[in-house]
Amino acid sequence: MGNEDAVFFSRVLTELTLSFHIIYATIGVGIPLMIMIAQWVGIKKQDEHYILLARRWTRGFVITVAVGVVTGTAIGLQLSLLWPNFMQLAGNVIALPLFMETFAFFFEAIFLGIYIYTWDRFENQKKHLLLLIPVALGASFSAVFITIVNAFMNAPQGFDVVNGQLVDVSPILAMFNPAMPTKVAHVVVTAYMTSAFVLAAIGAFRLLRGSNHTYHKKALFLTMKLGFVFSVATALLGDFSGKYLAEYQPEKLAAAEWHFETGKGVPLILYGVLDNGEVKYALKIPFALSILAHEVPNAEVLGLDRFPKDEVPPLYIHYLFDTMVTIGMWMTLLSFLYAIGIWRKRGFVLSNWFRWLVVLGGPLSILAIEAGWWLDEVGRQPWILRGIMRTKNAATTSDQVDLMLMLFAGLYLILGVGSVVVLWRMFRKNTVEQELGDRASEKAGDRI
């Protein structure tokens, strides 16, 4: 297998690993905050349903953490094996956040263990709630630190290369690169949003399956409200991301928007097809791209005509952008309608068809996360370190990458199916009604 084959299979394996890991990583970042909010609401309202929400979500969260650890370890291994030239350079510059991410994970795991094994040890539940603060912070900062590494790949700084040697290395400057603020904020907030909608989908599904318990109604109400809040925040951060791309990665913005010629008053293009370089059947929003990029309707936006052809990202990232934006807008609208419907006591939000839309929103949110990551990674091509190192120059020349791809694909299949089966059996054997009954019996016994 020549170098071209090694590059191809290395990219496929890395994309497969990241695509699988991002599901568990997103849930791993967002669920701790959902758990903390549910327990806080339960304590504030003295409502046992919300306390049980926190407990049951925690049990499921532990399973996803275990799978996330395995896939996260696989990513670290693959970075060294598949991209040795990149790691030789980046390892000397951006290793600090990789170490800090590991520390954040252990910080989260320690307090998560204490939280789980002290469920009934605190008479004052507020003290037990305090244990969730480091869990949520650790989970979020794990995402922060690993995203800083990705931001560095898009906007590398903090070092110079002189005669093939690294000089003037500044890890702090490398960490606080121009891409860091928007990328970190977007990743963390979308993890919160996606986790809320996934949990809402589970609650809606249980109601559709005939379990009309108040517990599931409260779970759905809480998570849909949180999903709406974080979806609005995601939209605002998306605006900042567009402005970052216009200034620092204009070729990615132009490719994602099929903006071929530099001009003023540029429309935003959604959907459509390319026919010999001409955009057809697209939805065009007048002046929107100029506003997104520079906040001025008649602002000039750089087109792909300003960049060498070998530095233009693949044009199919336009569809990834469309997928991400469309799902985000849909989930914002759906959660808004739910909140308004509950507030105004409209019956449509309690109908089966609306609940099926909520159920569909769970996998759609995961798909939006995937599309966003594919857009980010593919949109950086042909660079692994933008402007410094091309992807083809960073990859291994080993002829065994295709075998690695098959082995890791088998591992991910086992982990994916296994985690679903374990979660399904866990909650099927421990129903909400059974747990509420057991807790009521325990409290009655304590009073006797």
Side-chain angles (χ1 to χ4, degrees), residues 50 58 115 123 148 213 221 267 284 334 370 419 447:
Y50 289 104
T58 302
Y115 172 78
E123 292 185 9
I148 286 175
H213 201 284
F221 180 61
K284 297 183 179 181
L334 187 68
E370 296 281 12
S419 60
R447 286 195 294 270

Side-chain angles (χ1 to χ4, degrees), residues 283-394:
L283 173 63
K284 297 183 179 181
I285 306 175
F287 306 104
L289 186 57
S290 290
I291 295 173
L292 174 66
H294 303 292
E295 297 184 343
V296 179
N298 287 316
E300 182 180 80
V301 182
L302 295 180
L304 293 176
D305 59 326
R306 295 291 182 88
F307 305 97
K309 290 185 178 180
D310 64 343
E311 295 183 9
V312 173
L315 295 180
Y316 72 80
I317 65 172
H318 172 75
Y319 296 114
L320 300 177
F321 176 84
D322 287 348
T323 300
M324 178 183 67
V325 170
T326 301
I327 294 174
M329 293 171 60
W330 168 248
M331 294 309 300
T332 302
L333 175 62
L334 187 68
S335 55
F336 175 74
L337 290 175
Y338 179 85
I340 292 296
I342 292 295
W343 177 48
R344 299 296 298 271
K345 297 182 179 180
R346 303 296 185 185
F348 73 92
V349 296
L350 305 178
S351 63
N352 285 348
W353 66 266
F354 191 88
R355 286 173 176 170
W356 275 118
L357 292 179
V358 175
V359 171
L360 182 62
L364 281 178
S365 299
I366 294 292
L367 178 59
I369 286 287
E370 296 281 12
W373 270 104
W374 295 334
L375 170 64
D376 182 71
E377 297 301 296
V378 177
R380 191 181 59 247
Q381 298 307 312
W383 306 101
I384 193 168
L385 273 178
R386 183 179 180 271
I388 295 175
M389 180 182 291
R390 290 177 181 262
T391 302
K392 65 181 181 181
N393 298 327

Side-chain angles (χ1 to χ4, degrees), residues 61 65 69 102-116 134-135 138-139 142:
F61 172 63
V65 166
V69 169
T102 303
F103 176 79
F105 169 74
F106 281 114
F107 184 71
E108 171 196 359
I110 289 169
F111 282 93
L112 177 63
I114 297 172
Y115 172 78
I116 291 173
V135 174
S142 290

Side-chain angles (χ1 to χ4, degrees), residues 122-279:
F122 289 95
E123 292 185 9
N124 186 348
Q125 282 292 309
K126 292 181 180 179
K127 294 180 179 179
H128 193 220
L129 174 65
L130 293 176
L131 291 170
L132 286 172
I133 296 176
V135 174
L137 287 176
S140 296
F141 273 98
S142 290
V144 168
F145 292 132
I146 205 65
T147 306
I148 286 175
V149 178
N150 180 267
F152 170 77
M153 296 167 71
N154 287 273
Q157 66 176 31
F159 67 98
D160 291 311
V161 180
V162 179
N163 297 325
Q165 300 294 320
L166 283 175
V167 296
D168 299 328
V169 174
S170 174
I172 301 300
L173 185 61
M175 288 176 61
F176 291 92
N177 57 75
M180 187 274 289
T182 54
K183 284 193 175 296
V184 166
H186 193 73
V187 165
V188 173
V189 172
T190 52
Y192 297 155
M193 177 194 70
T194 302
S195 297
F197 285 135
V198 168
L199 292 174
I202 294 171
F205 182 74
R206 292 299 301 149
L207 289 169
L208 286 167
R209 290 295 298 269
S211 180
N212 202 35
H213 201 284
T214 304
Y215 167 92
H216 298 300
K217 295 178 180 178
K218 291 179 179 178
L220 179 59
F221 180 61
L222 175 65
T223 51
M224 286 295 279
K225 284 197 302 181
L226 292 172
F228 173 69
V229 171
F230 289 121
S231 64
V232 172
T234 297
L236 295 175
L237 291 170
D239 179 70
F240 291 126
S241 296
K243 290 172 174 54
Y244 159 78
L245 290 177
E247 183 171 356
Y248 293 99
Q249 290 182 277
E251 73 283 359
K252 180 188 287 189
L253 180 65
E257 281 302 311
W258 285 352
H259 178 46
F260 296 102
E261 296 183 3
T262 302
K264 297 181 179 180
V266 182
L268 186 95
I269 296 177
L270 293 173
Y271 320 116
V273 295
L274 277 180
D275 184 7
N276 294 323
E278 182 182 355
V279 180

Side-chain angles (χ1 to χ4, degrees), residues 25 31 41 47 93 121 182 310 329 377 398 410:
I31 294 294
V41 172
D47 191 323
V93 181
R121 302 293 180 90
T182 54
D310 64 343
M329 293 171 60
E377 297 301 296
S398 170

